[in-house]
């Protein structure tokens, strides 16, 4: 009971910061990430600055349900739905054969302009991990998810690997899963074109 109350307070504080246009460091369904409201261009700008990364390199976002994709992607190819059917979007840790899947869709809309790639595409992953899923559900917006490291530096697979510059530069650092020592690998990445053809970026 005490743990559930603690996690709820952690979630509510993260949501407060996101709603106010702030930046959080939080656990995702893959590695630790830096996040903000994906519809807030000023908040997205803060993440680029924190990561010391050019804003010409787009970042992916998390959603809690495939049902919300149509609001952020103008025309979703049938091949994307087929890929989502076999992806692990329920956070089923017992299914070791299915990695989280990030799909890069064409025709992004209703997102911060500086988050979208020059070709109009955006990477979206449906998260089944409890904390990040709850963040998306309650914020009612997608959340930016980019690895919690300075651009070009090693990815932080665990909380203790996150650089001090990242932790100090965020507006809130989540408590949930700080002691987690279970390895979480980066997602597979597949880019889908308007005609439904696709290219595997990362298996």
């Amino acid at each position: 009971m005490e743990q559930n109350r603690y996690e709820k307070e952690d979630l509510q504080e993260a949501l407060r910061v996101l709603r106010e246009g702030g930046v959080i460091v939080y656990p995702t369904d893959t590695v630790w990430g830096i996040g903000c409201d994906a519809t807030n261009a000023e908040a997205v700008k803060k993440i680029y600055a924190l990561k010391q990364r050019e804003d010409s390199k787009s970042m992916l976002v998390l959603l809690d349900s495939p049902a919300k994709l149509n609001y952020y992607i103008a025309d979703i190819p049938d091949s994307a739905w087929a890929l989502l059917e076999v992806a692990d979007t329920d956070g089923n840790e017992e299914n070791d054969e299915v990695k989280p899947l990030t799909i890069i869709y064409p025709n992004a809309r209703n997102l911060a302009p500086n988050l979208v790639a020059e070709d109009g595409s955006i990477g979206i992953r449906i998260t089944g991990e409890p904390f990040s899923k709850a963040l998306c559900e309650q914020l009612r917006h997608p959340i930016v998810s980019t690895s919690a490291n300075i651009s070009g530096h090693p990815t932080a697979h665990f909380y203790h690997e996150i650089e001090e510059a990242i932790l100090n530069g965020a507006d809130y650092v989540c408590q949930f899963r700080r002691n987690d020592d279970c390895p979480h690998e980066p997602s597979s990445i597949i880019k889908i074109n308007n005609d439904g053809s696709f290219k595997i970026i990362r298996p």
Side-chain angles (χ1 to χ4, degrees):
M1 181 69 71
E2 181 66 22
Q3 183 179 10
N4 289 339
R5 183 183 70 81
Y6 183 73
E7 290 174 7
K8 184 177 180 180
E9 291 175 354
D10 192 25
L11 180 70
Q12 293 307 311
E13 182 62 16
L15 284 167
R16 181 190 67 78
V17 171
L18 290 171
R19 289 170 179 145
E20 292 178 357
V23 170
I24 65 171
V25 173
Y26 69 114
T28 76
D29 53 336
T30 57
V31 297
W32 274 78
I34 305 172
C36 71
D37 180 346
T39 67
N40 186 326
E42 287 301 312
V44 170
K45 187 176 179 180
K46 292 178 185 177
I47 293 184
Y48 284 122
L50 181 58
K51 284 184 67 75
Q52 300 176 29
R53 177 175 175 173
E54 297 176 12
D55 59 9
S56 59
K57 297 180 179 179
S58 61
M59 298 181 290
L60 69 90
V61 303
L62 297 182
L63 270 178
D64 57 286
S65 169
K68 298 179 180 179
L69 278 170
N70 282 309
Y71 187 73
Y72 300 103
I73 305 298
D75 186 20
I76 302 175
D78 290 341
S79 56
W81 295 117
L83 288 168
L84 286 169
E85 284 183 8
V86 298
D88 182 16
T89 59
D90 296 321
N92 184 0
E93 295 182 358
E94 295 179 0
N95 189 352
D96 296 329
E97 296 181 0
V98 181
K99 290 178 64 175
L101 174 65
T102 299
I103 297 178
I104 301 176
Y105 299 87
N107 308 313
R109 60 181 179 179
N110 299 320
L111 293 167
N114 55 342
L115 190 58
V116 178
E118 291 182 2
D119 65 357
S121 66
I122 187 70
I124 298 178
R125 188 167 71 249
I126 308 300
T127 178
E129 186 274 329
F131 194 85
S132 54
K133 185 179 179 72
L135 280 175
C136 292
E137 284 177 339
Q138 296 186 39
L139 184 64
R140 297 185 179 180
H141 285 166
I143 298 173
V144 169
S145 178
T146 182
S147 56
N149 59 282
I150 292 172
S151 186
H153 290 200
T155 298
H157 294 273
F158 306 106
Y159 173 77
H160 65 82
E161 296 177 340
I162 303 174
E163 298 166 276
E164 286 296 321
I166 297 295
L167 296 175
N168 293 336
D171 298 299
Y172 183 68
V173 180
C174 294
Q175 300 288 331
F176 187 60
R177 282 178 47 200
R178 284 195 185 187
N179 297 321
D180 186 3
D181 58 2
C182 178
H184 294 268
E185 296 300 320
S187 69
S188 298
I189 302 176
I190 296 178
K191 183 170 184 176
I192 294 188
N193 302 311
N194 281 308
D195 62 2
S197 62
F198 59 85
K199 177 182 179 181
I200 298 174
I201 305 297
R202 183 169 67 202

